[in-house]
Amino acid sequence: MPDWESVNAETVSRLQAIIRFDTTNPPGNELPLARYLESALTAEGIEVTVLEMEKNRAQVISRIRGSGAARPVILLAHMDVVGVERASWTHDPFAGEVSDGYLYGRGAIDDKGMLAANLMTMLLLKRELSSSGATLSRDVVFVATADEEAGGEYGMGWLVQHHPDLLDAEFALNEGGRTRIIEGGRAYLAVQSAEKVSHIVTVTAHGSAGHAAIPLPDNAIFRLGRALDQLSSYAEPVMLTEITRQFFSRLAEIWPKPEEKKAMIDLVAGDAARMSDGARVLSRVAVFNAVLRNGISPTMIEGGKQFNVIPDSASAVLNVRTLPGQSIGKVVRRMRAIITEPGVKLDVTYRGEEAPASDPGSAMFSAIADAARELDPEMAVVPYLSTGVTDSARLRRLGVKAYGILPFPMAQSDEERMHGNDERVPLDSLHFGTRLIFGAISRIAR
Ligand SMILES: [Zn+2]
């Protein structure tokens, strides 16, 4: 067993070092951070490859070899971060300051905290193997990607395209879930096992063009407004997947609010009337609503060039996120049927790609759950369908069973700082997360 007190201090100083590399994407500039990771790993005799791409960008793949009795497990995190509104921060976002039990900095929880925990896991495993002389049953592969925050095309997308051989694995552990502390102090670990698929649907209204001085009844902007108004009161039907069924039934066991707890039980009871009662209650909570059905969110609007010219068309961009296995074509047909306004058409302008769900009954899922319960016997561990999109979808399409966690127990208020101001990780949570990842990987690679 590692000496956790000294591990904790090392984790903090490594996370500080990692945060001090400004990897705001765009442009990313991940190469200097990749070099830091390379030197930390090689210093302890772990093999590392830095794959350099164009313009100061790079990715890191490092490996501790096992006996080959089982296929590898990947430990994944991304090195890039989103930008900051510096004026709104009370701490320097790139200094890694520690204050009042928190470590502050852009990326502290997305995703540099996990990157530091993954790095520590590699170092601890290697130190343990060196002193015991033991061998792992499978390779543990550390992967640090670029470009995740900009869609991953130059990150995991590039790796899948150029080095799929390096990603050969049975399992992967990535970001994408959460460890949420709820009312009453209990926590649940949501292990992302599937994700929604993101599509773009464009709604375009057509009408007569003309001079604004002569109002026209078929004005395209009015038409678009009426069409969007009709869509705004529409919700896709509730659909339970195997993952969401397990999510709500296990969450019900620890949920503190009686009305929602009952709704979770009703939802999965297998009775149509109870299911719809339960869904009605849970749909009031935006994050639950989002996993119960396909979601439709208008995000951009366009039309007209001049204040005194009626345009002949106006359009809105909708981000439509479908549950796994749902057809975007059928969603658009249902949306089409809701809109009675003439002159309006719907097009799928970007079609997302499906990825299979990762089995919540696998040995990897159990390893995560066992590691979590060793640290907190009260913790509920639930499979989770995320509404956000991660690099895991690309791995799942390669056949890797990828699971997403956010290993740091946090209240919702701290979790909401992700991509926001004063992003921070509680130090105790950072240490919990490092032990969770080390525990899960030690178990699956034993
Ligand atoms: Zn992230």
Side-chain angles (χ1 to χ4, degrees), residues 219-221 301-315:
N219 182 307
I221 293 178
I301 195 151
E302 198 186 359
K305 298 258 183 306
Q306 232 176 296
F307 82 94
N308 57 357
V309 177
I310 300 173
D312 64 0
S313 72
S315 62

Side-chain angles (χ1 to χ4, degrees), residues 114 170-177 191-194 357-365 368 392 396 400-405:
M114 189 159 170
E170 182 175 11
F171 300 118
L173 191 59
N174 186 21
E175 64 174 348
V191 181
Q192 185 233 49
S193 309
S358 299
D359 178 11
S362 74
M364 185 72 208
F365 194 101
I368 299 166
S392 293
R396 292 189 183 113
V400 180
K401 292 187 199 85
Y403 298 90
I405 57 174

Side-chain angles (χ1 to χ4, degrees), residues 11-90:
T11 307
V12 168
S13 78
R14 292 206 182 269
L15 177 53
Q16 289 177 311
I18 288 170
I19 283 173
R20 287 170 190 153
F21 292 95
D22 181 349
T23 53
T24 302
N25 185 15
N29 288 332
E30 296 93 347
L31 181 60
L33 173 52
R35 291 289 176 216
Y36 166 81
L37 297 170
E38 178 189 35
S39 69
L41 291 156
T42 47
E44 310 213 14
I46 303 173
E47 66 175 83
V48 189
T49 310
V50 173
L51 300 157
E52 276 192 66
M53 292 117 66
E54 56 186 35
K55 295 187 213 121
N56 210 27
R57 308 201 74 175
Q59 319 206 63
V60 181
I61 297 193
S62 165
R63 187 178 298 262
I64 297 176
R65 293 194 185 270
S67 68
R71 289 176 60 214
V73 58
I74 290 174
L75 253 183
L76 176 62
H78 61 87
M79 293 181 284
D80 62 319
V81 294
V82 295
V84 294
E85 292 173 56
R86 241 172 213 277
S88 306
W89 283 64
T90 62

Side-chain angles (χ1 to χ4, degrees), residues 8 12 15 98-103 425-433:
N8 291 351
V12 168
L15 177 53
V98 171
S99 167
D100 298 328
Y102 291 92
L103 200 166
V425 61
L427 290 177
D428 288 345
S429 302
L430 176 65
H431 304 321
F432 179 99

Side-chain angles (χ1 to χ4, degrees), residues 4 81 230 290 292 299 301 430:
W4 289 111
V81 294
Q230 291 181 313
L292 287 171
T299 51
I301 195 151
L430 176 65

Side-chain angles (χ1 to χ4, degrees), residues 249-328:
S249 72
R250 292 198 208 165
L251 203 55
E253 292 166 18
I254 61 149
W255 201 252
K257 295 179 185 157
E259 194 194 10
E260 287 167 12
K261 183 190 184 84
K262 177 179 181 300
M264 290 173 186
I265 295 166
D266 285 345
L267 183 73
V268 299
D271 170 285
R274 287 180 69 188
M275 178 179 162
S276 85
D277 280 352
R280 190 162 29 75
V281 171
L282 294 172
S283 296
R284 289 182 211 137
V285 181
V287 291
F288 291 153
N289 183 51
V291 298
L292 287 171
R293 44 168 58 95
N294 303 316
I296 303 166
S297 296
T299 51
M300 295 193 283
I301 195 151
E302 198 186 359
K305 298 258 183 306
Q306 232 176 296
F307 82 94
N308 57 357
V309 177
I310 300 173
D312 64 0
S313 72
S315 62
V317 167
L318 275 46
N319 187 203
V320 177
R321 299 206 172 199
T322 51
L323 295 166
Q326 292 293 307
S327 142
I328 181 65

Side-chain angles (χ1 to χ4, degrees), residues 204-211 214-226 310-314 341-344:
T204 308
H206 293 276
S208 305
H211 196 295
I214 313 292
L216 299 172
D218 67 346
N219 182 307
I221 293 178
F222 277 147
R223 281 194 160 164
L224 179 66
R226 285 190 290 267
I310 300 173
D312 64 0
S313 72
E341 184 66 24
V344 175

Side-chain angles (χ1 to χ4, degrees), residues 126-431:
K126 178 69 181 181
R127 289 170 197 167
E128 208 170 73
L129 294 170
S130 302
S131 74
S132 69
T135 311
L136 300 173
S137 61
R138 58 174 97 223
D139 292 6
V140 177
V141 186
F142 170 94
V143 179
T145 53
D147 202 43
E148 196 275 342
E149 297 291 2
E153 215 36 56
Y154 296 101
M156 185 54 82
W158 186 91
L159 280 178
V160 166
Q161 201 187 340
H162 295 92
H163 299 281
D165 49 309
L166 298 179
L167 301 172
D168 174 63
E170 182 175 11
F171 300 118
L173 191 59
N174 186 21
E175 64 174 348
R178 64 167 75 115
T179 309
R180 174 67 62 74
I181 301 167
I182 51 178
E183 217 173 274
R186 292 190 67 178
Y188 71 93
L189 170 60
V191 181
Q192 185 233 49
S193 309
E195 51 191 68
K196 272 185 148 180
V197 186
S198 178
H199 313 270
I200 300 172
V201 175
T202 303
V203 183
T204 308
H206 293 276
S208 305
H211 196 295
I214 313 292
L216 299 172
D218 67 346
N219 182 307
I221 293 178
F222 277 147
R223 281 194 160 164
L224 179 66
R226 285 190 290 267
L228 293 176
D229 182 47
Q230 291 181 313
L231 280 178
S232 73
S233 48
Y234 172 68
E236 279 278 288
V238 169
M239 275 170 269
L240 284 182
T241 68
E242 188 45 40
I243 306 282
T244 46
R245 189 183 304 278
Q246 289 191 31
F247 173 72
F248 285 112
S249 72
R250 292 198 208 165
L251 203 55
E253 292 166 18
I254 61 149
W255 201 252
K257 295 179 185 157
E259 194 194 10
E260 287 167 12
K261 183 190 184 84
K262 177 179 181 300
M264 290 173 186
I265 295 166
D266 285 345
L267 183 73
V268 299
D271 170 285
R274 287 180 69 188
M275 178 179 162
S276 85
D277 280 352
R280 190 162 29 75
V281 171
L282 294 172
S283 296
R284 289 182 211 137
V285 181
V287 291
F288 291 153
N289 183 51
V291 298
L292 287 171
R293 44 168 58 95
N294 303 316
I296 303 166
S297 296
T299 51
M300 295 193 283
I301 195 151
E302 198 186 359
K305 298 258 183 306
Q306 232 176 296
F307 82 94
N308 57 357
V309 177
I310 300 173
D312 64 0
S313 72
S315 62
V317 167
L318 275 46
N319 187 203
V320 177
R321 299 206 172 199
T322 51
L323 295 166
Q326 292 293 307
S327 142
I328 181 65
K330 286 186 182 161
V331 176
V332 169
R333 277 207 288 284
R334 290 193 285 270
M335 290 163 66
R336 175 70 275 174
I338 296 302
I339 299 172
T340 55
E341 184 66 24
V344 175
K345 73 183 194 16
L346 273 68
D347 296 294
V348 180
T349 42
Y350 171 79
R351 197 176 288 268
E353 232 182 306
E354 277 280 340
S358 299
D359 178 11
S362 74
M364 185 72 208
F365 194 101
S366 303
I368 299 166
D370 292 347
R373 287 199 207 95
E374 184 185 50
L375 298 169
D376 177 359
E378 298 269 273
M379 187 172 280
V381 182
V382 299
Y384 171 64
L385 167 85
S386 77
T387 51
V389 178
T390 69
D391 278 340
S392 293
R394 296 179 199 268
L395 286 175
R396 292 189 183 113
R397 284 196 284 274
L398 281 185
V400 180
K401 292 187 199 85
Y403 298 90
I405 57 174
L406 174 59
F408 315 122
M410 276 180 292
Q412 183 158 347
S413 55
D414 270 334
E415 202 181 292
E416 281 168 356
R417 293 169 185 244
M418 189 183 286
H419 289 208
N421 301 323
D422 279 334
E423 181 177 347
R424 63 186 190 180
V425 61
L427 290 177
D428 288 345
S429 302
L430 176 65
H431 304 321

